[in-house]
Amino acid sequence: MAHNREHWTSRMGFILAAAGSAVGLGNIWRFPYITGENGGGAFLLIYLAMVFSIGLSLLVAELIIGRSTQLDPAGAFKKLAGGAWPLVGYMGILTAFLILSFYCVIAGWTLAYTVKSVTGSILVSDLDQVGSTFNAFITDPLEPVYYTAVFIALTVFVALGGVASGIERAARFLMPALFLILLVLVFRSLTLEGAGEGLAFFLKPDFSKVTWDTLLAALGQAFFSLSLGMGAMITYGSYLNRHDDIATSAVAVTLLDAAVAVLAGLVILPAVFAFGATPSAGPGLTFITLPSIFAQMPLGALFSALFFFLLAIAALTSAVALLEVVIVYFVDEGEANRRKVALIIGVITFALAVPASLSLGIWSGYTIGGKGLLDALDFFTNNITMPLGGLLVAIFVGWTLRRTAVAELVDGSAIAPVLVSAWHFIIRYVAPLAIVLILVNGLGLI
């Protein structure tokens, strides 16, 4: 029911909510270790260039689709073009739901590690022992499931309030809290003895370390860090008022998203070097390397609890956006009651999250294409449906909408004509080529 549609109460409310959607585990968990694996400063520069060109252009494209239709992703494509295009919207909704089902499992780990930081059970300097503790936790059949349930309940609670009283209100509290905790942790990390080496690694480019894989990693990180290709920004864009400024709002969201990634790097990499750990430790950097570092740090329990609580906040704002993509489809297309839909989708999400969690432990023998359920869902969404969705959005906006898209972009915005032309060129030619590279790389074809 688009005519009764809720809207953001202010531009700042939208920016904080959209930034909350974009800012997630990818910024704070994934970005530092990807940077560590790809040589530091040079990767950072390439990532920033990618996110403010290709990433920003795709974000604008999704917001145009949402604002112009005031509808869910499937309804938006149906209204704008019809034919087979609504399938792109349905794929985005499916992608959001599947990501939510395993994302909540990993987000539950952040809640658990917040508690374990307070009790001190993970704060051990021996890396092997911390690794064993983490492995024992994620393979346990009950404990991770409990924390997953708590996290899903929190996500549903925020969504129950709707756009203004739920999502926007939560973002107005959670996003400033996230930045405050980040700044406290950055100060602690930079004042550690030996942190200078990590700071230099992160901020001083060494282009001799740049390879083709570095470029692909930066491109992928720029794409995934903005929550593109899953219907989230189309959905949030649909709550914009008809003449809200898309261009400057998109720039603000991208700035906040990139700022969180950079600050997370300033938290983690100086600390890693200060304690002689390796920056290329991969995904284990957060749940294995960092607890051992916090164990050796004065007031380590406090800073560890703050860090994992920070991760939980970032995960929550993203999970709310993923859930909203699914909710708004049933509200728009089926005129269903928001509260009932939110509760039902929450229960279904948990029903899929349980086997995803167990696939790391007692159900690890059951595989899909050689992968456990959690890893299979992660591969399918991150390597196939998200980039494919982003590619089709770029083609749709750049080629099918064409002049309509440009008119939508300048409506309510004072953007310079040269920037409009640059955006149109990127969305028509550069972005599709870049996403094809992400897609073929994710499938291991290059």
Side-chain angles (χ1 to χ4, degrees):
M1 295 188 295
H3 57 282
N4 290 327
R5 194 170 200 75
E6 275 194 273
H7 291 98
W8 307 108
T9 62
S10 69
R11 181 166 171 263
M12 182 54 68
F14 161 70
I15 289 170
L16 289 174
S21 168
V23 170
L25 295 176
N27 299 68
I28 302 171
W29 175 18
R30 190 173 188 271
F31 176 77
Y33 82 72
I34 292 289
T35 304
E37 288 177 338
N38 287 278
F43 173 85
L44 172 62
L45 279 183
I46 297 168
Y47 159 74
L48 291 174
M50 299 285 192
V51 85
F52 281 103
S53 56
I54 297 166
L56 175 59
S57 296
L58 284 162
L59 172 57
V60 167
E62 295 202 5
L63 293 179
I64 284 173
I65 293 172
R67 193 193 70 173
S68 65
T69 59
Q70 306 277 290
L71 288 169
D72 65 279
F77 281 99
K78 197 180 300 180
K79 180 178 179 179
L80 290 171
W85 283 111
L87 293 175
V88 181
Y90 287 118
M91 183 170 66
I93 295 164
L94 175 64
T95 299
F97 171 69
L98 293 178
I99 291 174
L100 183 66
S101 66
F102 72 83
Y103 194 83
C104 286
V105 175
I106 300 169
W109 301 351
T110 69
L111 290 178
Y113 266 54
T114 303
V115 174
K116 292 174 185 292
S117 297
V118 175
T119 63
S121 61
I122 59 168
L123 300 178
V124 181
S125 58
D126 183 78
L127 270 177
D128 291 336
Q129 190 174 338
V130 182
S132 297
T133 300
F134 176 62
N135 189 61
F137 165 67
I138 64 172
T139 56
D140 188 280
L142 294 177
E143 193 179 8
V145 172
Y146 164 75
Y147 282 105
T148 299
V150 172
F151 187 84
I152 291 175
L154 289 171
T155 306
V156 171
F157 176 75
V158 173
L160 285 174
V163 176
S165 300
I167 300 170
E168 186 174 345
R169 181 179 293 177
R172 284 180 177 275
F173 167 74
L174 293 173
M175 290 305 291
L178 182 147
F179 272 97
L180 181 62
I181 295 170
L182 261 177
L183 291 172
V184 170
L185 290 169
V186 167
F187 177 78
R188 171 66 278 195
S189 184
L190 293 181
T191 54
L192 291 169
E193 186 177 348
E197 188 181 352
L199 190 62
F201 172 82
F202 184 48
L203 298 181
K204 186 178 179 181
D206 180 358
F207 290 102
S208 67
K209 295 181 179 178
V210 175
T211 64
W212 177 243
D213 289 339
T214 309
L215 295 173
L216 287 173
L219 184 59
Q221 181 65 27
F223 177 82
F224 296 122
S225 73
L226 281 170
S227 294
L228 302 169
M230 61 179 82
M233 290 305 177
I234 294 176
T235 300
Y236 275 20
S238 74
Y239 298 131
L240 286 167
N241 287 300
R242 192 63 194 82
H243 302 291
D244 281 342
D245 187 335
I246 286 178
T248 56
S249 296
V251 169
V253 171
T254 307
L255 276 170
L256 289 176
D257 178 71
V260 170
V262 172
L263 289 172
L266 290 174
V267 170
I268 294 173
L269 293 171
V272 165
F273 275 87
F275 288 95
T278 172
S280 56
L285 188 64
T286 295
F287 290 98
I288 298 173
T289 306
L290 283 181
S292 71
I293 289 173
F294 286 126
Q296 302 169 63
M297 191 185 293
L299 298 177
L302 170 63
F303 291 112
S304 181
L306 278 174
F307 176 77
F308 286 107
F309 183 60
L310 163 73
L311 272 181
I313 291 175
L316 180 61
T317 54
S318 291
V320 167
L322 292 167
L323 179 59
E324 185 63 18
V325 173
V326 186
I327 291 173
V328 74
Y329 168 73
F330 289 101
V331 172
D332 279 359
E333 304 298 312
E335 301 188 4
N337 178 273
R338 164 179 278 276
R339 296 182 66 84
K340 288 182 180 178
V341 170
L343 291 169
I344 291 169
I345 299 301
V347 171
I348 296 172
T349 299
F350 181 67
L352 185 55
V354 171
S357 179
L358 296 179
S359 72
L360 299 173
I362 59 173
W363 288 1
S364 60
Y366 300 97
T367 60
I368 302 170
K371 300 177 184 294
L373 180 59
L374 189 148
D375 290 333
L377 289 171
D378 182 24
F379 180 86
F380 179 67
T381 53
N382 277 288
N383 296 66
I384 300 174
T385 60
M386 274 181 69
L388 185 58
L391 174 63
L392 293 171
V393 163
I395 293 171
F396 178 74
V397 172
W399 294 92
T400 301
L401 283 190
R402 298 199 317 237
R403 290 187 180 87
T404 305
V406 171
E408 279 292 330
L409 176 57
V410 299
D411 185 6
S413 173
I415 184 172
V418 66
L419 294 177
V420 175
S421 298
W423 170 78
H424 201 221
F425 177 79
I426 291 172
I427 208 66
R428 295 190 87 187
Y429 302 105
V430 182
L433 177 60
I435 301 171
V436 167
L437 288 175
I438 293 172
L439 193 57
V440 297
N441 183 57
L443 293 174
L445 301 177
I446 57 173

